Amino acid sequence: MQLIIQLDAQTARQLEEIQAHTNQDISLVIQQGIGLYYQQLQPHRQFYIETKRQYELVCNVSATTSSN
């Protein structure tokens, strides 16, 4: 996938600084940044899935109990 983006001055400076310290291509720096962000989101995704599952269980139990 090819992206064309505009960065504000602060973000551009941060990207340049990361690139200077790591000697990595800008594309690799961005790919790794996306990978890190994705990893951070995983616990939140798992929490959402578990919360939804518990809610569905409670609703199913309530519906079963109230129909008796």
Side-chain angles (χ1 to χ4, degrees):
M1 174 189 302
Q2 183 177 5
L3 298 174
I4 298 172
I5 61 171
Q6 275 191 296
L7 302 175
D8 59 61
Q10 180 181 359
T11 305
R13 182 187 54 72
Q14 291 170 341
L15 180 58
E16 290 170 356
E17 190 173 324
I18 292 168
Q19 183 189 23
H21 282 84
T22 62
N23 293 319
Q24 294 177 334
D25 182 68
I26 288 177
S27 294
L28 184 57
V29 172
I30 292 170
Q31 287 172 7
Q32 290 177 340
I34 292 170
L36 288 171
Y37 192 59
Y38 182 80
Q39 288 175 355
Q40 290 176 354
L41 291 176
Q42 293 313 300
H44 299 290
R45 182 174 178 269
Q46 188 61 36
F47 175 78
Y48 169 77
I49 291 168
E50 288 300 319
T51 303
K52 183 175 182 256
R53 187 175 298 140
Q54 290 174 5
Y55 175 77
E56 289 170 350
L57 287 173
V58 168
C59 288
N60 287 337
V61 169
S62 296
T64 305
T65 305
S66 64
S67 66
N68 287 334

